[in-house]
Amino acid sequence: MRVTVGHLYPDYLNIYADRGNMAVLSWRAARRGHELDVRAISLGDPLVPGEHDLLYVGGGQDREQALIAPDLAARSDEIHAALDGGAALLAVCGGYQLLGRFYRDRAGADLPGAGIFPLETVAGERRMIGDMLLECELEPGERHTLAGFENHAGRTLLDEGAEPLGRVVHGFGNDGRSGHEGCRLGRAVGTYLHGPLLPRNPWFADWILAQALAHRLGEPPELEPLPDELERRAHELAAARARQRGGRD
Ligand code: GLN
């Protein structure tokens, strides 16, 4: 099956090699006989709801975010329509912030958000940097850990009742206080985890891939397991660094 990915602003939002996430997804799809067709959507390019099985937005600092924020915010209806039609979405850090209602930068200026995730973000004084570890339960009864690297000044506040991606075991997460990291809305996930994220967390890469395939199949398919020995070692290394960092905050 061909899995079509709309990669938003790869020319602006690609800090910490977030593009590596796409490489991992392509490889894991190919091992299951699927082909990942990654199409760039940059400033002014059309985003036609239904055309993509997965939308992906990487991370970027305030400067890059300011360059793309109005264009992304103007796509709110199309992104809502794509998700309503069953597409999956993954957004990292700067992209995650701009899929909320707004991001208020260090100078107090508001960048408009696309209003997809029920949250808002305000930059603080101290940057939140380091390896982090989360505990997630995206499917009832299936607990996993996610390891990655965070580096953000933004404090993200989820609306009452919004579902985080996971619980912070080590690190800061959304705001350094709530114990929450990221946001999950059906098949859409936003997170502060770079890493890049997917190479170190093969279970999560497969979850995203299955959500993208569900856009075609109606249901997320069971993906046949891969050996993942190196991936598990990468996860363990990152998790060990996060543990050395100690408790939250
Ligand atoms: N500019 C944002 C912040 O510092 C996002 C940073 C990032 O994408 N790493 O909060």
Side-chain angles (χ1 to χ4, degrees):
M1 196 167 281
R2 178 178 290 233
V3 181
T4 306
V5 181
H7 186 168
L8 282 144
Y9 318 108
D11 39 356
Y12 291 91
L13 300 182
N14 53 25
I15 204 168
Y16 301 122
D18 285 326
R19 276 175 214 249
N21 290 331
M22 286 300 102
V24 162
L25 221 49
S26 294
W27 188 82
R28 300 188 74 84
R31 295 295 298 266
R32 273 68 169 250
H34 304 299
E35 187 195 340
L36 209 73
D37 178 10
V38 184
R39 301 182 185 166
I41 305 172
S42 198
L43 294 173
D45 294 340
L47 192 171
V48 181
E51 231 173 52
H52 306 100
D53 304 308
L54 170 70
L55 293 172
Y56 176 68
V57 201
Q61 296 297 354
D62 293 19
R63 203 182 75 86
E64 288 76 31
Q65 285 178 289
L67 294 172
I68 60 95
D71 188 272
L72 180 62
R75 298 178 189 274
S76 178
D77 289 349
E78 285 90 337
I79 299 174
H80 272 293
L83 298 183
D84 289 348
L89 180 148
L90 175 62
V92 175
C93 204
Y96 165 47
Q97 293 173 342
L98 290 180
L99 288 178
R101 284 188 293 274
F102 63 82
Y103 170 56
R104 184 165 302 151
D105 70 15
R106 292 282 299 279
D110 280 357
L111 300 184
I116 306 297
F117 291 121
L119 56 86
E120 47 198 51
T121 304
V122 175
E125 283 302 309
R126 196 166 140 229
R127 291 196 75 78
M128 304 200 270
I129 307 180
D131 289 284
M132 71 176 313
L133 191 65
L134 306 185
E135 204 170 73
C136 306
E137 191 174 326
L138 295 181
E139 306 299 338
E142 288 181 29
R143 282 215 179 164
H144 292 280
T145 52
L146 265 181
F149 184 83
E150 61 179 330
N151 181 357
H152 52 108
R155 273 74 172 149
T156 295
L157 293 180
L158 302 184
D159 289 356
E160 190 72 38
E163 190 186 333
L165 166 63
R167 184 181 73 76
V168 176
V169 182
H170 298 294
F172 294 101
N174 279 339
D175 59 357
R177 301 156 68 128
S178 61
H180 291 159
E181 205 293 312
C183 188
R184 189 240 173 135
L185 191 67
R187 290 185 189 146
V189 167
T191 178
Y192 274 114
L193 289 185
H194 297 272
L197 172 67
L198 301 186
R200 291 171 170 179
N201 299 289
W203 73 266
F204 185 62
D206 281 354
W207 187 84
I208 294 285
L209 187 58
Q211 302 308 305
L213 284 161
H215 181 235
R216 295 291 181 89
L217 303 171
E219 292 273 315
E222 278 288 329
L223 295 171
E224 138 218 347
L226 297 176
D228 286 337
E229 197 196 309
L230 270 177
E231 288 79 353
R232 268 195 289 275
R233 272 163 54 193
H235 178 92
E236 261 323 300
L237 259 171
R241 278 204 301 263
R243 283 187 199 104
Q244 276 166 20
R245 183 179 167 179
R248 287 201 276 125
D249 224 308

